[in-house]
Amino acid sequence: MLNSEHEAVATNLLKKMSLRQKIGQMAMAERLSVEPADVKRHGLGAVLSGGGSHPGGNAPEDWVRMNDAFWQAAMADDDAPGIPILYGCDAVHGHNNVQGATIFPHNIGLGAAGDARLVAEAARVTAREMLDSGLDWNFAPTLAVVQNCRWGRTYESFGNDPERVASYGRHYVEALQAEGIIGCVKHWVGDGGTRHGMDQGETTLPWQELESTHVAPYYPALQAGVMTLMVSFNSWNGEKCHGHRFLVTDLLKERLGFDGLVLSDWDGVNYLDEDYGTAIRLSVNAGLDMFMVPERWREFIDALEAQVRLGHVSTARIDDAVRRILRTKLRYGLFDMPRPAQRRGAGTGCTGSAEHRDVARRAVRESLVLLKNEGGLLPLGRHQRMLVAGKNAHNLGHQCGGWTRSWQGETGNDTLEGTSIWEGIRELAPHAQLSADGTGEDADSREHEVALVVIGETPYAEGFGDIRSGDALVVEAGSTVNGLMNPLEPYARSLELAESHPEDLACIRRIAAKGIPVVVVLVSGRPLAVGRELAASTAFVAAWLPGTEGGGIAEVLMGNADFKARLPLPWPGDADPDGAWPLFPAGYGLSYSRGGCGLLGA
Ligand code: GLC
């Protein structure tokens, strides 16, 4: 619904703006490539932090100081109309860039938890911690409907059920925006449906299937008034979404009536044409409004101005894009807000608070899926003599995964504040012992009556997490594979965990061979083929990427809470190329109370 006062203000501003000032609003620069003075001189519309890009010190107050400088520059009195600047970042599982933040389970774990209200709670906490940093805009939620767990961004999806993704997307957006942060649904459209799960690859589907699986999950969030949307790197039936006029203008803007701001992804225009001006023309004319051009923002402004002067882009299209940007800033109340340092939510000190961590720990408890529990080995007894082993038992970086403090994630415990799985166990089981080097070499059936082995993946983000083999290693024409953001060398070439991380199976077998029953906890961004690990263990739990509150896992393993979660997508068998025949179906999950198969409704 348009606000006539906002439209009048936007009209008035447009009349005062030069073409370059209008185009400046269409540019989003990365913080490392822009000074506050540039923001004023070029009238930039927004600044972002890419994954892990943070101001020195990286405390909330450092973020406030940083955005305050950009905002002050944008509003400095001089001849150009003062248009306040937006600052955006990827707070995709909590305010994951900033030191000391509460890190939630990634979306795949929230999808397993199956509770839309929990998703809303996570969004509220994330918003409060972003406001504490003086920020405005979150490039979340991801509304990908993952179809192939080889995809490196599987963990950013709520799962493979379009209706669940639709519901969680709406709940997340409503809570985030109600708390005072602009939402951004992404990536439009079909990012989870690419061939072989290749990130930024080709989604080949008839319109009916694209609509029912990948477009429909956006409807509730659009109807709920999400203010921005980000276009996807992938292509649909051979045409890049960043240049797709039907998807962006005909469908999104005209048929669905989206009147907010359409944002490109990171240099997403680059892949439309080798000539930068042509690439920009194609994307602007397709209907994108603001362009994430982290380093090339000067070149972008010059190139788009040239395209307009040449008549290849109409001034009407420029005015439409800038009106949408101004409308979004007016809707958000940005023109009426004080500078970031004086905003109500800034500097509250809520980042990483005990209250927020309690919410995240509940999310951890409710995200765990019990896949096997022979002989009722679980729950563990608090006085059991237990050995805790495995590379992911005491590693906050691994349990948080990608998009945590750095783009590709961290390893170890030095850079994050939270509770590792081992630390959670130690709090509840006084006789537990941590294996010296994590390998379980020190297991001894005379000392240990049970072992907990925490295994799985090491952190990755985006294409760096793809699992590719065979013809999926062939660079497709027009794909972005083998580019900076999407390397040809994948995380692994097989879904089998024992291929990519043989140390895990070795650890389980080493301990089991001594007659000690093993409980396995898998820390991973997705289902993996773990037939051998399952066979060697007595109990097996999928923990996804739980975040900083590993204590939630200990609470469930020790029986202080029951398993609730169900698989948010099918779990592949061993010789399963693309998840065609699952070992466990979506909806599977055991629990202490039921004991049997936890299929939904059973
Ligand atoms: C990345 C991602 C997108 C993110 C953006 C900014 O390439 O595709 O999800 O919001 O860049 O970090």
Side-chain angles (χ1 to χ4, degrees), residues 117-203:
R117 291 161 311 186
L118 180 63
V119 171
E121 254 315 280
R124 263 190 288 280
V125 167
T126 301
R128 288 182 201 133
E129 296 199 4
M130 288 186 74
L131 290 169
D132 190 26
S133 289
L135 303 182
D136 315 290
W137 191 0
N138 190 1
F139 306 137
T142 294
L143 298 188
V145 183
V146 58
Q147 302 295 296
N148 187 326
C149 55
R150 288 167 173 268
W151 187 32
R153 305 191 78 165
T154 293
Y155 66 75
E156 296 184 63
S157 167
F158 291 116
N160 76 333
D161 176 2
E163 288 182 15
R164 171 172 295 188
V165 172
S167 166
Y168 292 9
R170 176 174 64 81
H171 279 82
Y172 189 99
V173 163
E174 285 179 337
L176 186 84
Q177 296 194 157
E179 203 61 38
I181 292 288
I182 296 173
C184 181
V185 285
K186 68 184 187 181
H187 309 81
W188 179 261
V189 69
D191 51 351
T194 59
R195 192 164 37 233
H196 308 304
M198 185 183 289
D199 190 39
Q200 306 182 13
E202 160 64 19
T203 295

Side-chain angles (χ1 to χ4, degrees), residues 28 30 48-52 88-92 138-140 142 153 156 184 186-187 191 199-200 230-233 263-267 292 294 403 407 462 485:
M28 174 189 276
E30 214 282 338
L48 88 146
S49 278
C89 70
D90 300 89
V92 294
N138 190 1
F139 306 137
T142 294
R153 305 191 78 165
E156 296 184 63
C184 181
K186 68 184 187 181
H187 309 81
D191 51 351
D199 190 39
Q200 306 182 13
M230 186 186 294
V231 175
S232 188
F233 281 118
L263 174 68
S264 86
D265 202 335
W266 188 285
D267 281 333
M292 191 183 291
W403 295 103
W407 180 37
E462 304 194 47
M485 306 279 277

Side-chain angles (χ1 to χ4, degrees), residues 375-390:
L377 179 61
L378 287 173
L380 299 171
R382 58 179 286 105
H383 296 296
Q384 274 185 297
R385 290 170 294 115
M386 181 191 322
L387 179 73
V388 179

Side-chain angles (χ1 to χ4, degrees), residues 321-355:
V322 179
R323 176 176 291 278
R324 287 168 176 268
I325 293 165
L326 296 174
R327 177 186 295 149
T328 300
K329 293 183 176 184
L330 287 158
R331 268 180 180 155
Y332 178 54
L334 192 63
F335 283 84
D336 301 324
M337 284 182 188
R339 53 193 283 192
Q342 295 168 355
R343 291 181 191 166
R344 65 179 174 81
T348 59
C350 73
T351 297
S353 68
E355 177 199 349

